[in-house]
Amino acid sequence: EYVLEELARQYNVTFNVTNPEIHSYTYNISCSSKDIDEIIHIMETVTPIKFSKQGDNVYDVDSRLSGKK
């Protein structure tokens, strides 16, 4: 949750978390990129989270593991 809050603050974007399970994931991410779309791509590569861009500064966030057992 903190990572998304920090990204939202730094890049003036909104993340709509569609699966509250995401808030239980714990990550520490360090990235030298200054481009939010590149950071999101990296996060999708190394986490079970997927982002869907809904507008210029709005992203829906969901788990790729939703419904899988």
Side-chain angles (χ1 to χ4, degrees), residues 53-65:
K53 194 168 189 174
Q54 300 303 311
D56 287 340
N57 296 322
V58 179
Y59 297 84
D60 285 348
V61 185
D62 199 359
S63 172
R64 291 191 308 241
L65 301 178

Side-chain angles (χ1 to χ4, degrees), residues 18-52:
T18 58
N19 184 341
E21 177 182 307
I22 288 170
H23 294 300
S24 68
Y25 299 160
T26 303
Y27 299 100
N28 290 313
I29 296 175
S30 178
C31 181
S32 61
S33 178
K34 301 294 185 206
D35 178 62
I36 188 65
D37 290 321
E38 186 175 338
I39 292 168
I40 286 172
H41 175 72
I42 292 167
M43 288 180 67
E44 286 181 318
T45 302
V46 299
T47 70
I49 297 173
K50 65 180 177 182
F51 294 83
S52 300

